[in-house]
Amino acid sequence: MTPWPYLDVHQSRTHEPTPYEYKLAATLEEVFTKEGHELADVIRGLNARQVHAPNGTPWTEDTFRAEMHRLGA
Amino acid sequence: MTLTHPTTGHTATADHIYATGLRNQWHPVVPSHFVAPGGMRKVTALGEDWLLFRRGDSTLHMLADRCPHRGARLSLGKHLGDRVACWYHGVEVEGDGTVSSVPGLPGCNLEGKKLVTSLPVREIGGAILAYFGDEQHPEPCELTLPEPLTDPGTEAILCYAEWNVPWRFGMENLLDPMHGQFLHHESHTMFDGDTTAKFRIRETDRGYFFEKTDQRGVNFDWVELCRTGVDWVDLSIPYPPSAGPGGPFGIVGMICPVDAHRSGVFFWRYRNVEGWQRDTWRFLYRTLIEKRHWEVLEQDRVMLEAMPHDADQAENLYQHDLGVVRLRRLYRAAAEQQAAALASPEPAAATAPAGV
């Protein structure tokens, strides 16, 4: 029998987010709220909060684009 | 598919059609990922049991879940790549419903006959749609897909859920935007806006808008019913600044009438985003937003599942319910028309789906 009902909170995930991903997401929400929606705002906001790229370096537009593509593709 | 009962010969009544979903149009069935390549899945839709099976090359077939020999469940059978074999006596049925082999009696006159109903299927936005015609309309009607699911500049993410709710209650809920102001008041997107409003109906060539006359872009302020071969609604809900660029998120909603008391609900959350904005929205959606949206959807489920089955039989409606009244009249009239056409010996010409 096919189980009923299907009620799955998370249907778009491929894995449980890591602590790094949770922190990055929460900080992005704060940056979008307080700094703005332009890419430059986001880079400045993340770096000012010292929420850095996985290798520990400050974000650049290129590294941020690449990381979002990896995490959001 | 037939609406004439196979043993009693009784033709479906308008009540039955109204309860289990309108025929002669497309409906969503289940998400595509429910049927993996080489996999089978039993589903119920429009009050009948079906078997979905997918070939290794991803081609999908949908058959009535009934062996043409003795009526056993084909869904209990075996996937043979391009056909299924009934477990009971091994009768093999192809994707188009043709019996290809009767192993117990080779040459049996069942072989080569198309004895199992097979429905046309399409897949869009991660969901399976099927055409449910009655015996006078077996060929699929034209299907125009919702633009947010086909536009390359729009990113849509499907959320699917199964509710113990009649399909029409689910549709009525969508044509009742004002519930957002109360039921969802504590949610992260629908906290703003007036608790009083006036609504109007605005006709379109594919359905109608039900919208507030004095507020737009603040809350769940409008909804469009679209009848484009499949019934769907479109609506828009503002995101808070925390969700980043891209403006409001929209919802394309469809409902599968599973049977008289159950529904599959399909909500695509969409946003006009591309590039890094798209990627960032998807990342935030997966990590944080999807759960918040789910909590809102659960409020609807809890409210609707607790409604009495005869809730729509003793109501006192007011101006905000115009959209619901219109929807109900439309569906009821279509059900009456479809039942009358099936009961009459007249040709099918006069039985086109009811207008809006």
Side-chain angles (χ1 to χ4, degrees):
Chain A
M1 284 295 292
T2 307
W4 175 280
Y6 176 85
L7 292 171
D8 183 2
V9 181
H10 288 293
Q11 300 178 28
S12 66
R13 281 182 184 174
T14 52
H15 63 278
E16 170 69 23
T18 63
Y20 156 72
E21 287 163 4
Y22 273 122
K23 185 179 176 187
L24 181 57
T27 310
L28 274 170
E29 288 198 326
E30 187 187 311
V31 168
F32 283 137
T33 303
K34 295 187 176 162
E35 311 281 339
H37 286 172
E38 298 299 324
L39 187 52
D41 301 328
V42 176
I43 304 304
R44 189 182 66 248
L46 287 177
N47 287 336
R49 288 165 179 76
Q50 296 201 309
V51 176
H52 289 148
N55 65 0
T57 60
W59 293 102
T60 64
E61 293 197 0
D62 284 346
T63 60
F64 181 75
R65 279 179 197 272
E67 183 66 343
M68 282 302 109
H69 190 65
R70 185 179 76 83
L71 295 172
Chain B
M1 107 185 246
T2 177
L3 285 185
T4 306
H5 193 279
T7 50
T8 65
H10 290 157
T11 300
T13 63
D15 283 344
H16 177 75
I17 294 171
Y18 189 54
T20 58
L22 295 184
R23 272 59 180 182
N24 307 332
Q25 65 178 62
W26 295 78
H27 292 277
V29 183
V30 288
S32 291
H33 70 83
F34 277 23
V35 194
M40 313 208 302
R41 190 176 181 105
K42 173 189 169 67
V43 297
T44 304
L46 282 76
E48 298 184 29
D49 294 324
W50 305 93
L51 168 66
L52 287 164
F53 78 99
R54 195 187 291 278
R55 299 189 193 189
D57 67 2
S58 288
T59 307
L60 183 70
H61 298 288
M62 185 163 176
L63 293 174
D65 190 17
R66 178 184 280 260
C67 178
H69 170 220
R70 295 277 309 281
R73 295 295 184 193
L74 289 174
S75 57
L76 292 173
K78 197 170 167 186
H79 194 304
L80 296 181
D82 63 345
R83 59 198 193 282
V84 292
C86 181
W87 188 16
Y88 204 12
H89 299 93
V91 171
E92 296 179 13
V93 181
E94 296 177 359
D96 69 352
T98 303
V99 175
S100 56
S101 171
V102 179
L105 186 64
C108 163
N109 67 2
L110 296 184
E111 290 182 351
K113 288 187 180 151
K114 197 171 168 177
L115 297 174
V116 181
T117 301
S118 169
L119 300 191
V121 290
R122 297 264 309 259
E123 294 188 78
I124 177 71
I128 295 165
L129 303 188
Y131 172 77
F132 295 77
D134 63 27
E135 56 210 35
Q136 295 178 359
H137 304 83
E139 293 304 316
C141 65
E142 192 181 333
L143 173 64
T144 304
L145 297 168
E147 301 85 9
L149 303 186
T150 55
D151 171 26
T154 301
E155 183 62 20
I157 308 173
L158 173 62
C159 172
Y160 169 73
E162 294 173 340
W163 292 355
N164 291 311
V165 170
W167 70 277
R168 58 188 202 284
F169 284 17
M171 287 299 293
E172 290 174 6
N173 184 57
L174 289 165
L175 267 295
D176 168 20
M178 203 58 189
H179 84 268
Q181 200 57 57
F182 296 91
L183 181 64
H184 305 313
H185 183 64
E186 303 299 320
S187 80
H188 71 126
T189 54
M190 283 183 270
F191 54 86
D192 210 358
D194 278 335
T195 51
T196 60
K198 275 206 161 54
F199 283 88
R200 68 174 173 188
I201 285 174
R202 181 159 54 92
E203 307 286 344
T204 70
D205 59 4
R206 61 183 186 179
Y208 61 91
F209 277 93
F210 185 58
E211 59 193 357
K212 289 179 187 165
T213 58
D214 46 5
Q215 175 179 297
R216 200 169 178 105
V218 179
N219 197 316
F220 175 12
D221 298 324
W222 59 270
V223 56
E224 183 187 5
L225 173 72
C226 308
R227 309 198 72 202
T228 61
V230 61
D231 285 5
W232 54 285
V233 298
D234 188 18
L235 58 92
S236 171
I237 298 176
Y239 260 139
S242 60
F249 79 99
I251 296 176
V252 166
M254 294 184 194
I255 298 190
C256 172
V258 171
D259 57 27
H261 303 292
R262 297 184 299 165
S263 304
V265 299
F266 294 72
F267 292 118
W268 286 266
R269 283 85 180 235
Y270 71 86
R271 211 170 184 203
N272 298 320
V273 279
E274 294 180 90
W276 75 270
Q277 300 184 343
R278 166 198 179 271
D279 297 338
T280 304
W281 180 57
R282 287 182 60 91
F283 168 59
L284 288 179
Y285 183 91
R286 281 181 182 161
T287 312
L288 300 174
I289 299 174
E290 185 174 45
K291 180 166 181 284
R292 297 178 195 145
H293 283 345
W294 181 261
E295 285 161 2
V296 175
L297 206 57
E298 281 290 276
Q299 292 167 342
D300 289 298
R301 185 177 69 83
V302 167
M303 183 57 60
L304 295 175
E305 287 192 344
M307 301 265 285
H309 283 166
D310 62 351
D312 57 354
Q313 300 303 303
E315 303 169 305
N316 293 283
L317 305 179
Y318 54 89
Q319 201 264 347
H320 293 176
D321 305 309
L322 288 175
V324 169
V325 169
R326 177 59 169 273
L327 186 76
R328 209 178 269 171
R329 193 181 299 150
L330 186 119
Y331 282 147
R332 186 70 213 181
E336 300 275 359
Q337 192 180 28
Q338 291 185 356
L342 288 169
S344 114
E346 296 299 314
T351 61
V356 175

